[in-house]
């Protein structure tokens, strides 16, 4: 079977990369159409085809002006694709799903819709525009043959043909028990780096505790966050590195930050891959209490829940004995990951059977 993934990002996208690794390992061919926002044309050699429908535009709020161009170009590319009928199409997020839905409607082709982030909640749109986007989004959901969510708390619109594939990584430890000899007072800060992801509070923590270190790996979305991190002395900073290399560096870490500014609704619903990264690595995830999955983290004892803004709730991280506490919490998270959240198992046991079921109907 040939899969065509469509997303408004590059093939370096962590979740896309996991799909490629998993599906190609069991004999499927993978093609990818995307938006090369950085104009660097990153290539994944495992792909049968990698096509950048649109290039440029960068990141952050300024990309809103480029969404119509991306949507328009993608619609016509799909409309003219001679192989469309032969591919299992998975469109990721609203901006890819809208043109896919329209083209598939004309071409009488079915598609799968994966929702990582609800577009209407991703920006501070005016109320009327938010309602219009949601109406269109629900229409796309009804037209899709299968809906993929990344967390049960993200299911805001009911559909019978629905499957949840959590944002979990492949197992760096390959099913083995991990050792903790290398672990130290190092905290990981990964992914999209911005003031809205708690960088301000994290920097205040690092300034107040010079005996801890930060491992910062990711892409800075705003200059203020970059300046904040650059001003620290106790920081190791990298831009893009392969996920496997990142996990290798995280062997020394005693926690992973997963903070979200609660003033934005989509952030309160965050289904962060860092939660599952931490579980897989056998270390605590550190999140803020306003995030919806903070309750799950606290209930299962797999992380630390504190306030979004730096205050006395952060003192637990500064304790000299925190590393031992982190090891105990991490073992609980790793056990839960091995039991429920291995990505390849979820794809083989949930996604592929669901695709076969809707195909048979």
């Amino acid at each position: 079977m040939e899969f065509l993934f469509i997303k408004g990002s590059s093939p370096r996208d962590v979740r896309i990369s996991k799909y490629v690794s998993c599906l190609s390992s069991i004999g499927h061919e993978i093609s990818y159409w995307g938006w090369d926002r950085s104009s660097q044309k990153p290539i994944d050699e495992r792909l049968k085809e990698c096509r950048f429908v649109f290039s440029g535009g960068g990141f952050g709020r300024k990309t809103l002006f480029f969404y119509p161009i991306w949507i328009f170009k993608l619609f016509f590319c799909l409309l003219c694709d001679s192989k469309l009928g032969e591919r299992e199409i998975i469109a990721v997020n609203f901006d890819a799903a809208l043109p896919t839905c329209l083209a598939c409607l004309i071409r009488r082709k079915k598609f799968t819709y994966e929702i990582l982030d609800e577009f209407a909640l991703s920006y501070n749109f005016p109320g009327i525009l938010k309602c219009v986007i949601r109406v269109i989004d629900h229409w796309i959901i009804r037209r899709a043959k299968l809906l993929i969510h990344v967390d049960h708390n993200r299911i805001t619109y009911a559909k019978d043909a629905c499957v949840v594939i959590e944002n979990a990584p492949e197992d760096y430890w390959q099913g083995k028990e991990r050792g903790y000899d290398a672990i130290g007072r190092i905290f990981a800060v990964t992914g999209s780096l911005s003031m809205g992801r708690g960088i301000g509070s994290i920097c205040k923590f690092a300034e107040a505790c010079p005996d801890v270190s930060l491992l910062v790996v990711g892409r800075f979305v705003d200059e203020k966050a970059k300046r904040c991190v650059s001003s620290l002395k106790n920081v190791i900073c990298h831009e893009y590195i392969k996920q496997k290399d990142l996990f290798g560096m995280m062997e020394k870490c005693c926690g992973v930050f997963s903070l979200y500014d609660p003033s934005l609704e989509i952030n309160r619903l965050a289904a962060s891959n860092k939660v599952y990264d931490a579980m897989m690595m056998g270390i605590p995830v550190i999140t803020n209490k306003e995030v919806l999955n903070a309750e799950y983290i606290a209930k299962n004892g797999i992380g630390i829940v504190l306030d979004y803004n730096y205050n006395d709730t952060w003192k637990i991280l500064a304790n000299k004995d925190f590393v031992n506490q982190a090891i105990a919490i991490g073992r609980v998270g790793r056990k839960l990951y091995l039991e429920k959240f291995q990505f390849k198992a979820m794809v083989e046991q949930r996604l592929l059977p669901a695709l076969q079921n809707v195909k048979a109907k």
Side-chain angles (χ1 to χ4, degrees):
M1 185 186 300
E2 180 183 347
F3 285 85
L4 171 60
F5 284 88
I6 306 171
K7 189 175 187 292
S9 65
S10 84
R12 283 180 176 174
D13 177 275
V14 173
R15 188 167 173 94
I16 294 296
S17 183
K18 287 185 290 190
Y19 273 127
V20 173
S21 177
C22 173
L23 291 169
S24 61
S25 71
I26 54 178
H28 297 287
E29 294 181 319
I30 317 295
S31 293
Y32 182 77
W33 289 10
W35 176 354
D36 181 18
R37 295 170 186 250
S38 60
S39 300
Q40 294 179 346
K41 291 186 168 53
I43 300 298
D44 187 330
E45 295 180 353
R46 297 170 299 179
L47 295 170
K48 180 181 179 180
E49 176 191 4
C50 183
R51 181 175 182 177
F52 295 113
V53 175
F54 183 53
S55 295
F59 301 90
R61 287 190 61 83
K62 63 182 179 180
T63 58
L64 282 171
F65 299 103
F66 297 97
Y67 275 110
I69 304 172
W70 151 250
I71 290 170
F72 184 80
K73 291 188 70 173
L74 178 56
F75 169 71
F76 279 100
C77 287
L78 287 165
L79 205 59
C80 299
D81 181 34
S82 61
K83 298 180 181 178
L84 195 70
E86 305 167 13
R87 291 166 156 168
E88 186 66 60
I89 302 171
I90 299 180
V92 182
N93 287 337
F94 175 85
D95 57 293
L98 175 57
T100 300
C101 183
L102 292 171
C104 287
L105 186 62
I106 294 171
R107 295 283 301 270
R108 297 183 179 181
K109 168 71 178 175
K110 294 181 179 181
F111 70 100
T112 295
Y113 182 15
E114 176 168 270
I115 304 176
L116 297 183
D117 297 300
E118 188 176 347
F119 191 72
L121 304 180
S122 297
Y123 299 92
N124 286 317
F125 292 119
I128 294 176
L129 181 56
K130 184 183 291 187
C131 288
V132 170
I133 293 172
R134 274 188 153 166
V135 168
I136 298 171
D137 203 14
H138 292 167
W139 175 76
I140 297 170
I141 290 171
R142 290 194 300 270
R143 295 292 312 177
K145 68 175 183 179
L146 179 66
L147 186 63
I148 305 173
H149 280 290
V150 293
D151 207 299
H152 289 279
N153 65 24
R154 290 293 187 94
I155 302 175
T156 57
Y157 188 84
K159 183 179 177 70
D160 290 336
C162 175
V163 64
V164 175
I165 306 292
E166 282 88 356
N167 224 349
E170 296 178 281
D171 190 7
Y172 173 76
W173 306 100
Q174 297 181 334
K176 301 174 184 176
E177 285 297 319
R178 69 152 295 175
Y180 288 95
D181 293 341
I183 194 172
R185 301 187 72 202
I186 305 171
F187 294 86
V189 187
T190 64
S192 182
L193 307 172
S194 69
M195 299 306 288
R197 296 290 178 89
I199 290 295
S201 293
I202 293 169
C203 287
K204 287 180 182 178
F205 164 67
E207 288 172 356
C209 304
D211 57 335
V212 307
S213 297
L214 299 180
L215 171 65
V216 179
V217 181
R219 172 178 52 81
F220 285 98
V221 175
D222 58 66
E223 284 299 318
K224 188 176 180 181
K226 191 172 186 177
R227 289 195 302 270
C228 185
V229 171
S230 299
S231 68
L232 298 171
K233 294 180 180 179
N234 49 339
V235 62
I236 305 164
C237 199
H238 297 270
E239 291 190 11
Y240 172 79
I241 60 175
K242 292 181 179 179
Q243 190 177 53
K244 185 177 181 180
D245 296 331
L246 169 61
F247 290 151
M249 298 177 74
M250 286 173 61
E251 287 187 39
K252 299 179 180 180
C253 294
C254 63
V256 182
F257 280 108
S258 179
L259 304 178
Y260 291 86
D261 182 354
S263 65
L264 195 60
E265 186 177 358
I266 191 68
N267 283 351
R268 297 195 295 274
L269 298 173
S272 174
N273 61 294
K274 291 184 281 290
V275 174
Y276 301 100
D277 289 351
M279 290 169 64
M280 183 277 294
M281 288 300 297
I283 55 178
V285 61
I286 303 161
T287 194
N288 50 301
K289 65 182 182 182
E290 300 89 349
V291 177
L292 192 60
N293 68 3
E295 183 179 351
Y296 178 86
I297 290 166
K299 180 181 177 181
N300 287 278
I302 59 173
I304 304 294
V305 178
L306 33 70
D307 290 346
Y308 177 73
N309 294 311
Y310 178 67
N311 58 20
D312 285 348
T313 63
W314 290 58
K315 285 184 177 179
I316 186 173
L317 306 182
N319 291 344
K320 299 296 183 184
D321 192 48
F322 179 74
V323 170
N324 291 328
Q325 186 177 356
I327 293 171
I329 294 171
R331 284 183 170 138
V332 175
R334 174 136 182 90
K335 183 174 183 291
L336 187 60
Y337 166 82
L338 289 172
E339 289 173 353
K340 295 183 63 176
F341 299 116
Q342 295 191 69
F343 192 79
K344 186 175 181 180
M346 290 190 290
V347 169
E348 292 181 332
Q349 296 169 16
R350 301 182 199 173
L351 178 58
L352 295 181
L355 287 170
Q356 288 297 325
N357 287 340
V358 294
K359 189 176 181 180
K361 290 181 180 179

